Amino acid sequence: MTDDKQNSKMVSQKIKESARQIWLAGLGAYNKAEEDAGKVFDKLVQEGEELEKKTRGVFEKQVKAVEGRVEEVKDRANTTWDKLETVFDQRVSRALHRLGVPTYSEFQQLRKEVDELKQKLADKEKPKRTRKKAD
């Protein structure tokens, strides 16, 4: 049985040695992965910065293009709105004219004429008042 015991001891020793080697290999792999992870992280950061520079330029160009289009649309809308307002004003003016409603300028002219007539009346009444006082 000494041979069996010795055989068992050798197998046990080999198993322990293999386990230790596996453990050391694992530690080495972990350490290597940790070192490489730092390098990989730095590389990813660098690539991200490069990508950001590229995309920022493209993004800014797109923003400027969109802003330009917005201005064009806004100008068109304002022009269309002005035309619509003019057409509306003309149609309302014609409708009011057909109904006999005076325009602002016609109303101002009438006001001026009324003021002139009032003044003429006042001027005619002044001499009568002075004559009555003399009698």
Side-chain angles (χ1 to χ4, degrees):
M1 285 234 193
T2 51
D3 280 341
D4 283 340
K5 275 189 175 182
Q6 213 174 17
N7 248 354
S8 281
K9 214 175 190 182
M10 278 179 58
V11 169
S12 178
Q13 188 79 24
K14 283 186 178 184
I15 290 174
K16 283 181 184 178
E17 235 180 90
S18 289
R20 185 169 186 274
Q21 286 178 344
I22 291 171
W23 170 252
L24 291 174
L27 283 176
Y30 176 77
N31 189 37
K32 182 72 173 160
E34 196 173 80
E35 286 175 8
D36 289 348
K39 291 176 187 175
V40 168
F41 180 78
D42 292 341
K43 177 89 171 138
L44 290 173
V45 168
Q46 183 182 5
E47 288 178 8
E49 288 173 344
E50 290 173 8
L51 186 60
E52 181 184 40
K53 286 176 189 174
K54 289 177 186 176
T55 56
R56 180 172 288 168
V58 170
F59 178 73
E60 288 173 359
K61 286 178 186 176
Q62 291 298 323
V63 167
K64 287 179 183 178
V66 168
E67 286 174 348
R69 287 188 208 133
V70 166
E71 284 301 316
E72 287 175 22
V73 169
K74 197 163 92 174
D75 290 343
R76 283 188 205 160
N78 285 338
T79 301
T80 303
W81 185 255
D82 290 343
K83 287 178 183 177
L84 180 63
E85 191 175 10
T86 301
V87 167
F88 181 75
D89 286 346
Q90 289 171 349
R91 289 186 179 175
V92 168
S93 276
R94 282 189 295 222
L96 291 173
H97 185 70
R98 280 194 301 262
L99 293 171
V101 176
T103 63
Y104 180 76
S105 60
E106 291 171 335
F107 183 73
Q108 291 295 24
Q109 182 62 34
L110 287 172
R111 184 178 255 172
K112 183 180 172 188
E113 289 174 13
V114 168
D115 288 343
E116 287 173 0
L117 289 171
K118 282 182 182 178
Q119 187 62 45
K120 285 181 182 178
L121 264 171
D123 289 346
K124 282 188 177 184
E125 287 182 5
K126 279 183 186 177
K128 288 182 183 177
R129 288 184 190 157
T130 52
R131 272 191 244 155
K132 285 183 181 178
K133 287 183 182 178
D135 287 336

